[in-house]
Amino acid sequence: MQPIEKKSNISRYRLTKLGEQMARLPIDPKIARILLAAKKHDCMAEILVIASALSIQDPRERPLEARDAAAKAHERFTDKQSDFLAYLNIWDSFQHERDKGLSNKQLVQWCRQYFLSHLRMREWRELHHQLAQTAIEMGLTTKEAAFRQPPTQEQLRPSESQGDQDLAAKLKQKQLDKKQHRAQIRAAKEAGYEQIHRTLLTGLIANVGMKSPDGNDYTGARGSRFHLFPASALFKAKPKWVMAAELVETTRLYARDVAVIQPEWIEQEAPHLVRYHYFEPHWEQKRGEVVASERVTLYGLTALPRRPVSYGKVAPEEAREIFIRGALVAQECDLKADFFVHNKKLIKEITELEHKSRKQDVLVDDEALFAFYHERLPNFYTADAVSGSPHPANPQQTTPSPVGKGWGEGKTVAAQTNFFAISASPLPTPLPQEREQSAAASTVAGSLHNVVDSNDADKHVREPSSHTLQNVSDGPKPKKQPASQKGRLKPLPLADIRTFEAWLKTAERDNPRLLFLSRDDLMQHAAAHITEEQFPKHWQTADGKFKLSYRFEPHHPLDGVTMTVPLTVLNRLHAPSLEWLVPGMLREKIQLLIKALPKQIRRICVPVPDFITKFLESNPDHQAAIIPQLAHFIAKSAGDMRILEQIDQDTWAAQELPEHCYLNLRIIDDGGQELAGGRKLHELQQQLGQAAAVTFRDNTQEFERDNVTAWDIGTLPESIKFARGKQQLTGYLGLQKEKDGRIALRLFDTSAAAEQTHRLGVIELMKLQLKEQVKDLNKGIQGFTQAAMLLKHINADTLRDDLTQAVCNRAFIGEDELPRNEKAFKEQIKRARSRLPAVKEALSRYLQETVAAYAELNGKLGKHPLTHLLRLRLQTLLAAGFANRTPWAQWPRLPIYLKAMTLRLEKYSGNPARDAAREADIQELEQMWQEKTDSLIKQGLPVSDDLAAFKWMIEELRVSLFAQELKTPYPVSVKRLLKEWESLIISG
């Protein structure tokens, strides 16, 4: 119906053309609306049967005394997806019996057999005949199409090409024909199902429901809840979406005569009743446009929960803003335009300046970039549909309406300011016959114009389309635009890449650099202090230069400066040199180090910036650690070197600084793939050090040799340079004892690894030249048998090999320089021959003395209070491998250390408290030494000779404190050792 306003301000309604057609049908308006829709879907014969069935009492009978029998009889007519199709099945069965020429009595008997009412069947046929005649008179259908013909199933026809095939091919072709035939029948059935039920949906739109996720009931329109009627064929299946002929309330609200539907049909058949809600508008890079999620509801029931739609057609201005922010400001698109490439490169350069300076004060913020593009881009772009020439649209001109037929109809709409507002969406152009039909009486209430609060975004809905309700006024109707004008101008919002590129092509004709940014547009200040000297692009070493990259993003793994290092040079990196970072980041690190000092020491560094400048001007060694040099400079600046004693450098070094104060390392292989990363070099070297050494040796066979049995390898240089791709590497040659016992010439990536391995390799090579002497040595050293019997915690063979290796190490090399040519090697063999007997005799004497002292001590331990402590000391001094591990100078002292333990046992009872106090002093010194040694090993740094010697000074302190009568080779005391320790720490 259409509202009519009179001058007296009294409103009344009149029927539309659609309503006039419905009024001519003598049935419920809902059923009338269904009949009118049947013409559109070309299923009038089926709908006339169903419509007439819905207009009378159900012809099926269900007597209480024979309910089960009736239900079983009605199964013949049941359809698993739709109760409506059961009416068609009943109709077809009844018609089939009538076509047999049965008498009226026989038809009555047939109806009783299947629990059908013959009177209602006759009523049904009469009403069907009346409706068919009315539909024919109204021009809805023809006489031939109005009456349903019995369904005929096309028989399977054999393939024409079977005559020329053999038996196997004929059988296979027959199976294919059957499969294709079944598919055709299934497709035809599905097509017919959709036609019929989409037609029914036009009148039963208020009776749709969606199954509740947490129960067996259904949610219907306007928040209602109902259940499927138990007699329905769908009662057990409970599909997700259903449509019902009626909702009947008894003990609960039941849906009778239901069918499965698809929720998409709701929008297609009742576009004037659904509401469109829009949320989450965003820039979609893959689609190249601004999209939002659209939700379609019917009377509060969500038909389509989410689907992406172009947001430019919904809210053009907001979509344009999102497009600028996402595609142009955030650069989240694949534009190939010159301006975009230029701007992206320029922004990247300025961003790198920010990463280097670690301050976000160089690049302008996103709002400034947005303002730049917002000022230059029009609100709309207008293309001439006739000539094809584009025109920028005036932002103030008439904008396209988001309702009705689409864009370009000249209807002005208000721009929305809320991105998440629920807004209107264009309707598809209605079919001509629909535009001329009037609304069904049952849908009038839901189709009236609603007064929507402009401040309530959640109630914004699509305006009713012209074919549902037409607002009629007494004034003259506005004239429609001529077709030529309607199609000429098409204003499009700049909310997608295609529209933007079309506009840009036109705009750049007049100003090719319209969207080009300059450095002045992007930079807040000149950033003159960010130079390549302060923030270099590469880290220079003896092995070449490695790329540096900068990033300012706290808590990110790559925050700070990152150096990309090939795996081949990992072991060659020097940890202290990495502490110095780059000049531009060093001052901040030193400032944080000073801040971590105690207050009384920190005062010396005030003012801190000037102090840092003086320290850097003093030319500190960048190959040594920062902390020892900084501590020395603080003491020097104060004029009192005793301050060094107040600075605990180990505690100072353990202070955790922010991550960007440590150089980040990115280890890559030859193919550029990242293998590992981190800021702790020693951990990376432990993880990949062995792989780095192996990789370093790849393709270096020209320098290496296997199975070396004599010095026929010429002169070994201290180092050797070779090329690996574009990189110049330095390697170190040395002899190595392989796992199979053979000797090989190998190339090493560090001088320390080469020297350590070369010493063992030279000793093994000398053993081959001195076979007789070594053979005699392996027979045993005097006192070995007694030692093996007493030192039961060491395997006898292990002890023999250990002693033999200790003798060879001292006799063959000792403290001599390692030979690197044939002449030096032969001279070393001569010296070894002469020294071997004396060394063997000396070691034998030391061993016997040590074993004798061990036997005496072991016999007195028993249940003494010091037993546990002294056994731990014995395990340290005489553990497996002790012979080769003990420096030659300490061998004569081993028996003394054991005798000192025996004397300590004897003196203990005289003053246990004094013994405990002295042990506490020794434990403190041992703990300091152990922590320092573990720290160096953990960091992958070598243990210095002085630090290793300090361990034996502690052993001499034990002699001095517990057995002073045995005397020590040099004065020792707790105070002397503490002073020696301080000098060790200061020297690094």
Coordinates of all heavy atoms in Angstrom, one line a residue, residues 700-734:
T700 N 89.4 -25.6 0.1 CA 90.7 -25.2 0.4 C 91.7 -26.3 0.3 O 92.7 -26.4 1.0 CB 90.8 -24.5 1.8 OG1 90.3 -25.5 2.7 CG2 90.0 -23.3 1.9
Q701 N 91.3 -27.3 -0.5 CA 92.2 -28.5 -0.6 C 93.6 -28.2 -1.1 O 94.5 -29.0 -0.9 CB 91.5 -29.6 -1.6 CG 90.3 -30.2 -1.0 CD 89.0 -29.4 -1.2 OE1 89.1 -28.3 -1.7 NE2 87.9 -29.9 -0.8
E702 N 93.8 -27.1 -1.8 CA 95.1 -26.8 -2.3 C 96.1 -26.5 -1.2 O 97.3 -26.6 -1.4 CB 95.0 -25.6 -3.3 CG 94.4 -24.4 -2.6 CD 94.3 -23.2 -3.5 OE1 95.3 -22.8 -4.1 OE2 93.1 -22.7 -3.7
F703 N 95.6 -26.2 0.0 CA 96.4 -25.9 1.1 C 96.6 -27.1 2.1 O 97.5 -27.1 2.9 CB 95.9 -24.7 1.9 CG 95.6 -23.5 1.1 CD1 94.4 -23.0 0.9 CD2 96.7 -22.8 0.4 CE1 94.1 -21.9 0.1 CE2 96.4 -21.7 -0.3 CZ 95.2 -21.2 -0.5
E704 N 95.7 -28.0 2.0 CA 95.7 -29.1 2.9 C 96.3 -30.4 2.4 O 96.4 -30.6 1.1 CB 94.2 -29.3 3.4 CG 93.6 -28.1 4.1 CD 92.3 -28.4 4.7 OE1 91.7 -29.5 4.3 OE2 91.8 -27.7 5.6
R705 N 96.6 -31.3 3.3 CA 97.1 -32.6 2.9 C 96.8 -33.7 3.9 O 96.9 -33.4 5.1 CB 98.7 -32.5 2.7 CG 99.1 -33.3 1.5 CD 100.6 -33.2 1.4 NE 101.2 -34.4 1.9 CZ 102.5 -34.6 2.1 NH1 103.4 -33.7 1.7 NH2 103.0 -35.7 2.6
D706 N 96.5 -34.9 3.5 CA 96.2 -36.0 4.4 C 97.4 -36.9 4.5 O 98.3 -36.9 3.7 CB 95.0 -36.8 3.9 CG 93.7 -36.0 3.8 OD1 93.6 -35.1 4.7 OD2 92.9 -36.2 2.9
N707 N 97.4 -37.6 5.6 CA 98.3 -38.7 5.9 C 99.8 -38.2 5.7 O 100.6 -38.7 4.9 CB 98.1 -39.9 4.9 CG 98.8 -41.1 5.4 OD1 99.2 -41.3 6.5 ND2 99.0 -42.1 4.5
V708 N 100.1 -37.2 6.6 CA 101.5 -36.7 6.7 C 102.3 -37.6 7.6 O 102.0 -37.8 8.8 CB 101.5 -35.3 7.2 CG1 103.0 -34.8 7.3 CG2 100.7 -34.4 6.3
T709 N 103.4 -38.2 7.1 CA 104.2 -39.1 7.9 C 105.6 -38.6 8.1 O 106.4 -39.1 8.9 CB 104.3 -40.5 7.2 OG1 104.8 -40.3 5.9 CG2 103.0 -41.2 7.1
A710 N 106.0 -37.6 7.3 CA 107.3 -36.9 7.5 C 107.1 -35.5 7.1 O 106.1 -35.1 6.5 CB 108.3 -37.6 6.6
W711 N 108.2 -34.6 7.5 CA 108.0 -33.2 7.2 C 108.4 -33.0 5.7 O 109.6 -32.6 5.4 CB 108.9 -32.4 8.1 CG 108.5 -30.9 8.1 CD1 108.7 -30.1 7.1 CD2 107.7 -30.2 9.0 NE1 108.2 -28.8 7.3 CE2 107.6 -28.9 8.5 CE3 107.2 -30.5 10.3 CZ2 106.9 -27.9 9.2 CZ3 106.5 -29.5 11.0 CH2 106.4 -28.2 10.5
D712 N 107.5 -33.3 4.9 CA 107.7 -33.0 3.4 C 106.7 -32.0 2.9 O 106.2 -32.0 1.8 CB 107.6 -34.3 2.6 CG 106.3 -35.1 2.9 OD1 105.5 -34.6 3.8 OD2 106.1 -36.1 2.3
I713 N 106.3 -31.1 3.8 CA 105.2 -30.1 3.5 C 105.8 -28.7 3.3 O 105.0 -27.8 3.3 CB 104.1 -30.1 4.6 CG1 104.8 -29.9 6.0 CG2 103.3 -31.4 4.6 CD1 103.8 -29.9 7.1
G714 N 107.1 -28.6 3.3 CA 107.7 -27.3 3.0 C 107.6 -26.5 4.3 O 107.5 -26.9 5.4
T715 N 107.6 -25.2 4.0 CA 107.5 -24.2 5.1 C 106.1 -23.7 5.3 O 105.4 -23.4 4.3 CB 108.4 -22.9 4.8 OG1 109.7 -23.4 4.6 CG2 108.3 -21.9 5.9
L716 N 105.6 -23.8 6.6 CA 104.3 -23.3 6.9 C 104.3 -21.9 7.3 O 104.9 -21.5 8.3 CB 103.7 -24.2 8.1 CG 103.6 -25.7 7.9 CD1 103.0 -26.3 9.1 CD2 102.8 -26.0 6.7
P717 N 103.6 -21.0 6.5 CA 103.5 -19.6 6.8 C 102.7 -19.4 8.0 O 101.8 -20.2 8.4 CB 102.9 -19.0 5.5 CG 102.1 -20.0 4.9 CD 102.9 -21.3 5.2
E718 N 102.9 -18.2 8.7 CA 102.1 -17.9 9.9 C 100.6 -17.8 9.5 O 99.7 -18.1 10.2 CB 102.6 -16.6 10.5 CG 104.0 -16.7 11.1 CD 103.9 -17.5 12.4 OE1 102.8 -17.6 13.0 OE2 105.0 -18.1 12.8
S719 N 100.4 -17.2 8.3 CA 99.0 -17.0 7.9 C 99.0 -17.1 6.3 O 100.0 -16.9 5.7 CB 98.4 -15.7 8.3 OG 99.1 -14.6 7.8
I720 N 97.8 -17.3 5.8 CA 97.7 -17.4 4.3 C 96.4 -16.8 3.9 O 95.3 -16.9 4.6 CB 97.7 -18.9 3.9 CG1 97.8 -19.0 2.4 CG2 96.6 -19.7 4.5 CD1 98.1 -20.4 1.9
K721 N 96.4 -16.0 2.9 CA 95.2 -15.3 2.4 C 94.7 -16.0 1.2 O 95.5 -16.4 0.3 CB 95.5 -13.8 2.1 CG 95.9 -13.0 3.3 CD 96.0 -11.5 3.0 CE 96.3 -10.7 4.2 NZ 95.1 -10.7 5.2
F722 N 93.4 -16.1 1.1 CA 92.7 -16.7 -0.1 C 91.3 -16.0 -0.3 O 90.8 -15.4 0.6 CB 92.6 -18.2 0.1 CG 91.8 -18.6 1.2 CD1 90.5 -19.0 1.1 CD2 92.3 -18.7 2.5 CE1 89.7 -19.4 2.1 CE2 91.6 -19.1 3.6 CZ 90.2 -19.4 3.4
A723 N 90.8 -16.2 -1.5 CA 89.5 -15.6 -1.8 C 88.4 -16.6 -1.7 O 88.6 -17.8 -2.1 CB 89.6 -15.0 -3.2
R724 N 87.3 -16.2 -1.2 CA 86.1 -17.0 -1.1 C 85.0 -16.1 -1.7 O 84.4 -15.3 -1.0 CB 85.8 -17.4 0.3 CG 84.4 -18.0 0.5 CD 84.3 -19.4 -0.1 NE 85.2 -20.3 0.6 CZ 84.9 -20.9 1.8 NH1 83.7 -20.7 2.4 NH2 85.7 -21.7 2.4
G725 N 84.7 -16.3 -3.0 CA 83.7 -15.4 -3.7 C 84.3 -14.0 -3.7 O 85.4 -13.8 -4.3
K726 N 83.5 -13.1 -3.2 CA 84.0 -11.7 -3.2 C 84.8 -11.3 -1.9 O 85.2 -10.2 -1.8 CB 82.8 -10.7 -3.3 CG 82.0 -10.9 -4.7 CD 80.9 -9.9 -4.7 CE 80.1 -10.1 -6.0 NZ 78.9 -9.1 -6.1
Q727 N 85.0 -12.3 -1.1 CA 85.6 -12.1 0.2 C 87.0 -12.5 0.3 O 87.3 -13.6 -0.2 CB 84.7 -12.8 1.3 CG 85.0 -12.2 2.7 CD 84.0 -12.8 3.7 OE1 83.2 -13.6 3.3 NE2 84.0 -12.3 4.9
Q728 N 87.8 -11.7 0.9 CA 89.2 -12.1 1.1 C 89.4 -12.6 2.5 O 89.2 -11.9 3.5 CB 90.2 -10.9 0.9 CG 91.6 -11.2 0.8 CD 92.0 -11.8 -0.6 OE1 91.2 -11.8 -1.5 NE2 93.2 -12.4 -0.7
L729 N 89.8 -13.9 2.7 CA 89.9 -14.5 4.0 C 91.3 -14.8 4.4 O 92.2 -14.9 3.5 CB 89.1 -15.8 4.1 CG 87.6 -15.7 3.8 CD1 87.0 -17.1 3.8 CD2 86.9 -14.8 4.8
T730 N 91.6 -14.9 5.7 CA 92.9 -15.2 6.2 C 92.8 -16.5 7.0 O 92.0 -16.7 7.9 CB 93.4 -14.1 7.1 OG1 93.5 -12.9 6.4 CG2 94.9 -14.4 7.6
G731 N 93.7 -17.5 6.6 CA 93.7 -18.8 7.3 C 95.0 -19.1 7.9 O 96.0 -18.4 7.7
Y732 N 95.1 -20.1 8.8 CA 96.3 -20.4 9.5 C 96.5 -21.9 9.4 O 95.6 -22.7 9.7 CB 96.1 -20.0 11.0 CG 95.8 -18.6 11.2 CD1 94.5 -18.1 11.2 CD2 96.8 -17.6 11.3 CE1 94.2 -16.8 11.3 CE2 96.5 -16.3 11.4 CZ 95.2 -15.9 11.5 OH 94.9 -14.5 11.6
L733 N 97.7 -22.3 8.9 CA 98.0 -23.7 8.7 C 98.6 -24.4 9.9 O 99.3 -23.7 10.7 CB 99.0 -23.9 7.5 CG 98.4 -23.6 6.1 CD1 99.5 -23.5 5.1 CD2 97.4 -24.7 5.7
G734 N 98.3 -25.6 10.1 CA 98.9 -26.4 11.2 C 98.6 -27.9 11.1 O 97.7 -28.3 10.3

